[in-house]
Amino acid sequence: MAGERSEILRERAQPSAKPPKASGGRDPAASFIVCTRNRAEALEACIRSIEATCRSHASMTSELVVVDNGSTDDTAERLARLAATSGMTITLVVEHRRGLAAARNAGMERSRGRILIFIDDDCEVGLHYLRDLERHYLNDEGCIIRGGRVELGNALDLPFTIKRSLQRARFTPDIHPGGFILGCNMTMHREVALRVGYFDERFGAGSFLQSAEDTDYIVRAFQLGIPIEYVPDMSVLHYHGRDTREAIERLHRNYSLGNGGLCLKHLFKAPWLLRHFYWTFRSACRESWGGDRFDPEVSLSHWPIVSMNLLGAAEFARLAVTGRRRQPELDKIKQATRSLR
Protein backbone atom coordinates (compact mmCIF):
# COMPACT_ATOMS: atom_id res chain seq x y z
CA MET A 1 0.00 0.00 0.00
CA ALA A 2 2.83 2.43 0.82
CA GLY A 3 4.51 1.74 -2.52
CA GLU A 4 1.21 2.23 -4.32
CA ARG A 5 0.71 5.61 -2.59
CA SER A 6 4.24 6.68 -3.58
CA GLU A 7 3.52 5.91 -7.23
CA ILE A 8 0.35 8.00 -7.07
CA LEU A 9 2.21 10.93 -5.52
CA ARG A 10 4.96 10.79 -8.14
CA GLU A 11 2.43 10.72 -10.93
CA ARG A 12 0.43 13.57 -9.46
CA ALA A 13 3.50 15.81 -9.12
CA GLN A 14 4.11 15.71 -12.86
CA PRO A 15 2.51 18.33 -15.12
CA SER A 16 1.54 15.65 -17.63
CA ALA A 17 -0.48 13.64 -15.11
CA LYS A 18 -4.19 13.28 -15.80
CA PRO A 19 -6.32 15.71 -13.78
CA PRO A 20 -9.88 15.23 -12.50
CA LYS A 21 -12.40 13.14 -14.37
CA ALA A 22 -14.93 14.80 -16.64
CA SER A 23 -18.04 15.93 -14.79
CA GLY A 24 -21.37 14.23 -15.24
CA GLY A 25 -24.76 15.73 -16.02
CA ARG A 26 -25.87 15.99 -12.38
CA ASP A 27 -22.72 17.64 -11.12
CA PRO A 28 -22.69 21.34 -10.15
CA ALA A 29 -22.07 24.03 -12.72
CA ALA A 30 -19.19 25.52 -10.72
CA SER A 31 -16.67 24.41 -8.13
CA PHE A 32 -15.01 26.97 -5.86
CA ILE A 33 -11.58 25.63 -4.81
CA VAL A 34 -9.97 27.32 -1.79
CA CYS A 35 -6.59 26.20 -0.46
CA THR A 36 -5.63 27.25 3.04
CA ARG A 37 -2.94 27.00 5.68
CA ASN A 38 -3.12 28.65 9.12
CA ARG A 39 -5.51 31.43 8.11
CA ALA A 40 -8.61 30.35 9.97
CA GLU A 41 -10.13 33.80 10.46
CA ALA A 42 -9.54 34.99 6.89
CA LEU A 43 -10.77 31.65 5.57
CA GLU A 44 -14.07 32.00 7.38
CA ALA A 45 -14.66 35.41 5.80
CA CYS A 46 -13.74 33.97 2.40
CA ILE A 47 -16.25 31.13 2.77
CA ARG A 48 -19.00 33.47 3.95
CA SER A 49 -18.50 35.60 0.83
CA ILE A 50 -18.73 32.51 -1.40
CA GLU A 51 -21.92 31.45 0.36
CA ALA A 52 -23.35 34.94 -0.22
CA THR A 53 -22.67 34.94 -3.97
CA CYS A 54 -24.14 31.44 -4.23
CA ARG A 55 -27.33 32.58 -2.50
CA SER A 56 -27.44 35.67 -4.70
CA HIS A 57 -27.25 33.55 -7.86
CA ALA A 58 -28.87 30.31 -6.78
CA SER A 59 -29.79 29.36 -10.35
CA MET A 60 -26.14 28.39 -10.91
CA THR A 61 -25.50 25.26 -8.87
CA SER A 62 -22.18 25.44 -7.03
CA GLU A 63 -20.03 23.56 -4.55
CA LEU A 64 -17.08 24.53 -2.39
CA VAL A 65 -13.93 22.42 -2.01
CA VAL A 66 -11.61 23.54 0.81
CA VAL A 67 -8.13 22.05 0.98
CA ASP A 68 -6.33 22.28 4.33
CA ASN A 69 -2.62 22.18 3.51
CA GLY A 70 -1.24 21.28 6.94
CA SER A 71 -2.78 23.93 9.21
CA THR A 72 -1.74 23.94 12.86
CA ASP A 73 -4.24 26.55 14.08
CA ASP A 74 -7.97 25.96 14.59
CA THR A 75 -8.71 25.74 10.85
CA ALA A 76 -9.96 22.14 11.06
CA GLU A 77 -12.43 22.89 13.87
CA ARG A 78 -13.77 26.00 12.15
CA LEU A 79 -14.13 24.19 8.85
CA ALA A 80 -16.07 21.36 10.49
CA ARG A 81 -18.51 23.86 12.04
CA LEU A 82 -18.90 25.78 8.79
CA ALA A 83 -19.51 22.64 6.74
CA ALA A 84 -22.13 21.42 9.23
CA THR A 85 -24.15 24.65 9.12
CA SER A 86 -23.63 25.87 5.55
CA GLY A 87 -26.43 25.96 3.04
CA MET A 88 -24.09 24.86 0.25
CA THR A 89 -22.16 21.68 -0.36
CA ILE A 90 -18.70 21.94 1.23
CA THR A 91 -16.13 19.22 0.69
CA LEU A 92 -13.22 19.24 3.13
CA VAL A 93 -9.88 17.87 1.93
CA VAL A 94 -6.65 17.44 3.90
CA GLU A 95 -3.44 17.53 1.83
CA HIS A 96 -0.34 16.89 3.94
CA ARG A 97 2.20 17.47 1.17
CA ARG A 98 3.12 21.11 1.63
CA GLY A 99 2.77 23.54 -1.25
CA LEU A 100 0.03 25.53 -2.96
CA ALA A 101 0.34 23.56 -6.19
CA ALA A 102 -0.14 20.26 -4.35
CA ALA A 103 -3.18 21.73 -2.57
CA ARG A 104 -4.65 23.01 -5.84
CA ASN A 105 -4.18 19.57 -7.38
CA ALA A 106 -5.94 17.92 -4.44
CA GLY A 107 -8.80 20.40 -4.84
CA MET A 108 -9.12 19.65 -8.56
CA GLU A 109 -9.24 15.92 -7.82
CA ARG A 110 -12.24 16.33 -5.54
CA SER A 111 -14.10 18.95 -7.59
CA ARG A 112 -17.10 18.06 -9.75
CA GLY A 113 -18.09 21.35 -11.41
CA ARG A 114 -17.99 22.13 -15.12
CA ILE A 115 -16.17 25.37 -14.26
CA LEU A 116 -13.34 25.45 -11.71
CA ILE A 117 -12.89 28.65 -9.66
CA PHE A 118 -9.65 29.11 -7.72
CA ILE A 119 -9.96 31.66 -4.89
CA ASP A 120 -7.26 32.32 -2.28
CA ASP A 121 -8.16 32.04 1.39
CA ASP A 122 -7.34 35.72 2.05
CA CYS A 123 -9.82 36.91 -0.58
CA GLU A 124 -13.54 37.64 -0.53
CA VAL A 125 -15.60 37.31 -3.69
CA GLY A 126 -18.04 39.99 -4.80
CA LEU A 127 -21.76 39.45 -4.29
CA HIS A 128 -22.35 39.24 -8.06
CA TYR A 129 -19.34 37.04 -8.81
CA LEU A 130 -21.34 34.05 -10.05
CA ARG A 131 -23.64 36.24 -12.13
CA ASP A 132 -20.63 37.75 -13.90
CA LEU A 133 -18.97 34.36 -14.32
CA GLU A 134 -22.06 32.78 -15.85
CA ARG A 135 -22.43 35.66 -18.31
CA HIS A 136 -18.85 35.23 -19.51
CA TYR A 137 -19.02 31.44 -19.79
CA LEU A 138 -22.55 31.19 -21.18
CA ASN A 139 -21.64 31.46 -24.86
CA ASP A 140 -18.04 30.23 -24.78
CA GLU A 141 -17.04 27.75 -27.43
CA GLY A 142 -14.20 25.45 -26.43
CA CYS A 143 -11.82 25.89 -23.52
CA ILE A 144 -10.61 29.07 -21.84
CA ILE A 145 -8.82 30.27 -18.70
CA ARG A 146 -10.31 33.47 -17.37
CA GLY A 147 -9.33 35.75 -14.47
CA GLY A 148 -11.18 38.65 -12.91
CA ARG A 149 -10.39 41.90 -11.14
CA VAL A 150 -8.55 41.86 -7.81
CA GLU A 151 -8.87 44.91 -5.55
CA LEU A 152 -7.33 45.68 -2.17
CA GLY A 153 -9.55 44.54 0.66
CA ASN A 154 -7.75 46.74 3.19
CA ALA A 155 -6.74 50.24 2.12
CA LEU A 156 -3.80 50.10 4.58
CA ASP A 157 -2.18 47.25 2.62
CA LEU A 158 0.32 48.22 -0.07
CA PRO A 159 -0.97 48.04 -3.67
CA PHE A 160 0.61 44.74 -4.67
CA THR A 161 -0.86 41.39 -5.86
CA ILE A 162 -3.85 43.22 -7.27
CA LYS A 163 -5.24 43.67 -10.79
CA ARG A 164 -7.32 46.80 -11.30
CA SER A 165 -7.49 47.17 -15.06
CA LEU A 166 -10.93 48.08 -16.42
CA GLN A 167 -10.12 46.76 -19.90
CA ARG A 168 -10.96 43.26 -21.06
CA ALA A 169 -7.87 41.66 -22.62
CA ARG A 170 -6.49 38.45 -24.14
CA PHE A 171 -3.00 37.24 -23.36
CA THR A 172 -0.26 37.49 -26.01
CA PRO A 173 3.48 36.76 -25.68
CA ASP A 174 4.15 40.52 -25.75
CA ILE A 175 2.84 40.57 -22.17
CA HIS A 176 4.64 38.83 -19.32
CA PRO A 177 2.31 36.04 -18.14
CA GLY A 178 3.07 36.75 -14.47
CA GLY A 179 0.20 38.85 -13.17
CA PHE A 180 -1.81 38.90 -16.38
CA ILE A 181 -4.41 37.04 -14.37
CA LEU A 182 -3.85 36.25 -10.70
CA GLY A 183 -4.05 32.80 -9.17
CA CYS A 184 -6.19 34.16 -6.34
CA ASN A 185 -9.00 34.72 -8.87
CA MET A 186 -8.59 32.24 -11.71
CA THR A 187 -11.29 30.20 -13.44
CA MET A 188 -11.30 27.61 -16.20
CA HIS A 189 -13.41 25.06 -17.98
CA ARG A 190 -12.96 21.56 -16.61
CA GLU A 191 -11.79 20.61 -20.10
CA VAL A 192 -8.80 22.91 -19.60
CA ALA A 193 -7.75 20.89 -16.55
CA LEU A 194 -8.21 17.69 -18.54
CA ARG A 195 -5.95 19.01 -21.32
CA VAL A 196 -3.29 20.93 -19.38
CA GLY A 197 -2.91 18.55 -16.44
CA TYR A 198 -1.98 19.25 -12.86
CA PHE A 199 -0.17 22.25 -11.44
CA ASP A 200 3.59 21.66 -11.40
CA GLU A 201 4.39 21.07 -7.73
CA ARG A 202 7.92 22.41 -8.03
CA PHE A 203 6.29 25.86 -8.23
CA GLY A 204 4.01 27.77 -5.86
CA ALA A 205 4.06 28.99 -2.27
CA GLY A 206 5.59 26.44 0.09
CA SER A 207 7.47 24.67 -2.70
CA PHE A 208 11.03 24.76 -4.03
CA LEU A 209 10.42 27.77 -6.29
CA GLN A 210 8.01 29.66 -3.98
CA SER A 211 5.66 31.00 -6.70
CA ALA A 212 4.51 30.91 -10.35
CA GLU A 213 2.42 27.73 -10.26
CA ASP A 214 -0.42 29.77 -11.79
CA THR A 215 1.87 31.43 -14.36
CA ASP A 216 3.29 28.06 -15.38
CA TYR A 217 -0.26 26.80 -15.88
CA ILE A 218 -1.06 29.78 -18.10
CA VAL A 219 2.05 29.24 -20.23
CA ARG A 220 1.28 25.54 -20.66
CA ALA A 221 -2.31 26.31 -21.62
CA PHE A 222 -1.24 28.96 -24.11
CA GLN A 223 1.13 26.46 -25.73
CA LEU A 224 -1.91 24.22 -26.31
CA GLY A 225 -3.80 27.03 -28.01
CA ILE A 226 -6.10 27.69 -25.04
CA PRO A 227 -6.98 31.41 -24.79
CA ILE A 228 -6.23 33.30 -21.57
CA GLU A 229 -8.55 36.20 -20.81
CA TYR A 230 -8.77 38.94 -18.19
CA VAL A 231 -12.16 40.51 -17.47
CA PRO A 232 -12.72 43.63 -15.34
CA ASP A 233 -15.55 42.12 -13.29
CA MET A 234 -15.76 38.74 -11.51
CA SER A 235 -14.11 40.78 -8.77
CA VAL A 236 -12.57 39.75 -5.46
CA LEU A 237 -11.14 41.74 -2.55
CA HIS A 238 -7.62 40.68 -1.54
CA TYR A 239 -6.75 41.09 2.14
CA HIS A 240 -3.09 40.20 1.68
CA GLY A 241 -1.98 41.93 4.91
CA ARG A 242 1.34 43.28 3.60
CA ASP A 243 1.66 46.87 4.75
CA THR A 244 5.45 47.23 4.87
CA ARG A 245 7.96 47.59 2.08
CA GLU A 246 10.00 44.72 3.52
CA ALA A 247 7.05 42.33 3.22
CA ILE A 248 6.43 43.38 -0.38
CA GLU A 249 10.11 42.99 -1.26
CA ARG A 250 10.14 39.47 0.18
CA LEU A 251 7.11 38.51 -1.90
CA HIS A 252 8.60 40.23 -4.92
CA ARG A 253 11.76 38.14 -4.62
CA ASN A 254 9.73 34.95 -4.37
CA TYR A 255 7.80 35.85 -7.52
CA SER A 256 11.06 36.52 -9.34
CA LEU A 257 12.53 33.21 -8.16
CA GLY A 258 9.57 31.32 -9.60
CA ASN A 259 9.65 33.27 -12.85
CA GLY A 260 13.33 32.37 -13.30
CA GLY A 261 12.51 28.68 -13.02
CA LEU A 262 9.59 29.20 -15.37
CA CYS A 263 11.85 30.77 -17.99
CA LEU A 264 14.23 27.82 -17.99
CA LYS A 265 11.45 25.21 -17.94
CA HIS A 266 9.88 26.67 -21.09
CA LEU A 267 13.14 27.74 -22.75
CA PHE A 268 12.49 25.81 -25.95
CA LYS A 269 8.68 25.80 -26.13
CA ALA A 270 8.17 29.42 -25.06
CA PRO A 271 11.46 31.22 -25.85
CA TRP A 272 9.60 34.53 -25.84
CA LEU A 273 9.94 34.45 -22.02
CA LEU A 274 13.63 35.25 -22.52
CA ARG A 275 12.64 38.48 -24.16
CA HIS A 276 10.97 39.61 -20.93
CA PHE A 277 14.12 38.75 -18.97
CA TYR A 278 16.19 40.81 -21.41
CA TRP A 279 13.81 43.76 -21.05
CA THR A 280 14.07 43.53 -17.25
CA PHE A 281 17.87 43.39 -17.39
CA ARG A 282 17.94 46.41 -19.71
CA SER A 283 15.61 48.32 -17.37
CA ALA A 284 17.84 47.41 -14.40
CA CYS A 285 20.87 48.88 -16.19
CA ARG A 286 18.94 52.04 -16.98
CA GLU A 287 17.78 52.24 -13.37
CA SER A 288 21.43 52.32 -12.29
CA TRP A 289 21.82 55.45 -14.38
CA GLY A 290 18.73 57.20 -13.04
CA GLY A 291 16.00 55.37 -14.93
CA ASP A 292 12.62 54.33 -13.56
CA ARG A 293 12.34 51.63 -10.93
CA PHE A 294 10.19 48.53 -11.47
CA ASP A 295 7.37 49.82 -9.28
CA PRO A 296 7.85 53.45 -8.27
CA GLU A 297 4.71 53.39 -6.09
CA VAL A 298 6.23 50.76 -3.79
CA SER A 299 9.83 51.69 -4.71
CA LEU A 300 10.84 48.26 -5.98
CA SER A 301 14.00 47.83 -8.02
CA HIS A 302 14.64 45.80 -11.19
CA TRP A 303 17.89 44.33 -9.84
CA PRO A 304 16.37 41.80 -7.39
CA ILE A 305 14.23 40.55 -10.28
CA VAL A 306 17.34 39.90 -12.36
CA SER A 307 19.26 38.17 -9.55
CA MET A 308 16.31 36.04 -8.40
CA ASN A 309 15.43 35.10 -12.00
CA LEU A 310 18.95 33.72 -12.40
CA LEU A 311 18.77 31.94 -9.05
CA GLY A 312 15.37 30.48 -9.93
CA ALA A 313 16.69 29.17 -13.24
CA ALA A 314 19.63 27.54 -11.45
CA GLU A 315 17.33 25.99 -8.85
CA PHE A 316 15.00 24.62 -11.53
CA ALA A 317 17.99 23.11 -13.37
CA ARG A 318 19.15 21.44 -10.16
CA LEU A 319 15.67 20.04 -9.49
CA ALA A 320 15.37 18.78 -13.05
CA VAL A 321 18.70 16.97 -12.79
CA THR A 322 18.63 15.64 -9.23
CA GLY A 323 15.08 15.98 -7.91
CA ARG A 324 16.60 16.45 -4.45
CA ARG A 325 15.70 19.00 -1.84
CA ARG A 326 17.03 22.53 -2.00
CA GLN A 327 20.63 22.98 -0.97
CA PRO A 328 21.07 25.04 2.23
CA GLU A 329 23.13 27.55 0.26
CA LEU A 330 20.05 28.63 -1.70
CA ASP A 331 18.45 30.36 1.28
CA LYS A 332 21.74 32.11 2.02
CA ILE A 333 21.89 33.46 -1.52
CA LYS A 334 18.27 34.59 -1.32
CA GLN A 335 19.07 36.39 1.92
CA ALA A 336 21.96 38.20 0.25
CA THR A 337 19.70 39.59 -2.47
CA ARG A 338 17.79 41.61 0.11
CA SER A 339 20.60 44.14 -0.03
CA LEU A 340 19.87 44.80 -3.70
CA ARG A 341 17.78 47.90 -4.24
Side-chain angles (χ1 to χ4, degrees):
M1 180 65 71
E4 193 174 296
R5 172 64 173 165
S6 297
E7 288 300 320
I8 293 172
L9 293 183
R10 278 200 293 272
E11 179 187 5
R12 195 165 75 183
Q14 298 303 315
S16 59
K18 293 182 180 179
K21 298 177 181 179
S23 60
R26 295 184 180 181
D27 289 329
S31 293
F32 286 92
I33 299 173
V34 178
C35 304
T36 190
R37 188 172 189 272
N38 290 338
R39 283 179 174 169
E41 187 171 346
L43 174 64
E44 187 165 346
C46 173
I47 292 175
R48 295 302 186 198
S49 72
I50 292 173
E51 290 174 330
T53 192
C54 290
R55 287 194 300 268
S56 177
H57 200 65
S59 61
M60 188 173 189
T61 56
S62 305
E63 67 168 358
L64 170 61
V65 179
V66 183
V67 183
D68 184 353
N69 194 210
S71 294
T72 56
D73 60 4
D74 61 341
T75 292
E77 291 78 7
R78 291 203 191 196
L79 278 176
R81 288 197 298 269
L82 286 169
T85 59
S86 179
M88 69 182 299
T89 301
I90 300 181
T91 300
L92 307 182
V93 181
V94 176
E95 176 52 73
H96 293 292
R97 292 176 305 126
R98 185 176 175 183
L100 180 56
R104 289 193 193 278
N105 290 337
M108 283 202 299
E109 287 178 343
R110 297 294 298 273
S111 68
R112 298 176 297 125
R114 297 191 299 275
I115 300 169
L116 307 182
I117 307 168
F118 292 93
I119 301 293
D120 278 5
D121 59 355
D122 57 356
C123 291
E124 296 179 19
V125 303
L127 183 62
H128 301 300
Y129 188 96
L130 277 182
R131 182 196 66 184
D132 296 336
L133 179 136
E134 185 177 44
R135 184 179 68 254
H136 288 301
Y137 278 94
L138 190 61
N139 299 315
D140 275 338
E141 296 181 4
C143 301
I144 193 169
I145 293 180
R146 180 176 281 123
R149 193 167 79 251
V150 180
E151 293 281 0
L152 280 179
N154 186 343
L156 297 178
D157 291 341
L158 292 176
F160 205 64
T161 61
I162 56 175
K163 177 86 176 187
R164 288 172 161 170
S165 174
L166 299 180
Q167 301 299 317
R168 191 169 181 166
R170 287 285 177 103
F171 173 76
T172 69
D174 292 332
I175 308 167
H176 193 285
F180 178 74
I181 62 175
L182 302 183
C184 65
N185 184 11
M186 182 170 70
T187 71
M188 65 184 73
H189 285 109
R190 174 169 290 272
E191 287 75 13
V192 168
L194 291 170
R195 288 181 61 187
V196 179
Y198 286 110
F199 289 89
D200 188 335
E201 295 179 10
R202 292 169 293 190
F203 294 87
S207 69
F208 296 108
L209 290 164
Q210 298 298 320
S211 67
E213 87 294 337
D214 49 353
T215 311
D216 172 69
Y217 209 86
I218 289 170
V219 172
R220 286 160 51 200
F222 184 76
Q223 291 168 358
L224 294 173
I226 297 170
I228 317 296
E229 183 178 61
Y230 167 79
V231 293
D233 48 15
M234 282 172 43
S235 62
V236 306
L237 295 175
H238 194 184
Y239 293 85
H240 63 70
R242 299 177 180 90
D243 56 3
T244 66
R245 185 170 177 269
E246 181 182 1
I248 294 299
E249 284 183 335
R250 183 164 55 250
L251 183 64
H252 188 221
R253 287 190 297 272
N254 286 343
Y255 284 164
S256 300
L257 182 77
N259 284 333
L262 186 80
C263 192
L264 186 61
K265 178 183 177 180
H266 298 286
L267 182 63
F268 298 109
K269 292 186 177 180
W272 42 269
L273 286 168
L274 280 175
R275 185 170 61 218
H276 294 287
F277 174 77
Y278 165 72
W279 288 340
T280 300
F281 178 74
R282 184 179 61 182
S283 296
C285 293
R286 290 177 176 174
E287 179 186 317
S288 295
W289 295 95
D292 292 336
R293 296 171 77 84
F294 171 73
D295 188 335
E297 189 173 4
V298 188
S299 192
L300 296 177
S301 170
H302 290 92
W303 282 113
I305 304 177
V306 173
S307 62
M308 295 304 288
N309 278 175
L310 294 172
L311 182 59
E315 173 68 354
F316 181 85
R318 187 188 66 78
L319 289 170
V321 171
T322 69
R324 290 178 297 181
R325 286 189 174 276
R326 172 187 298 133
Q327 298 170 352
E329 288 77 11
L330 177 65
D331 288 327
K332 295 179 182 178
I333 299 172
K334 287 175 62 179
Q335 180 75 20
T337 64
R338 296 184 181 184
S339 61
L340 294 173
R341 297 288 185 268

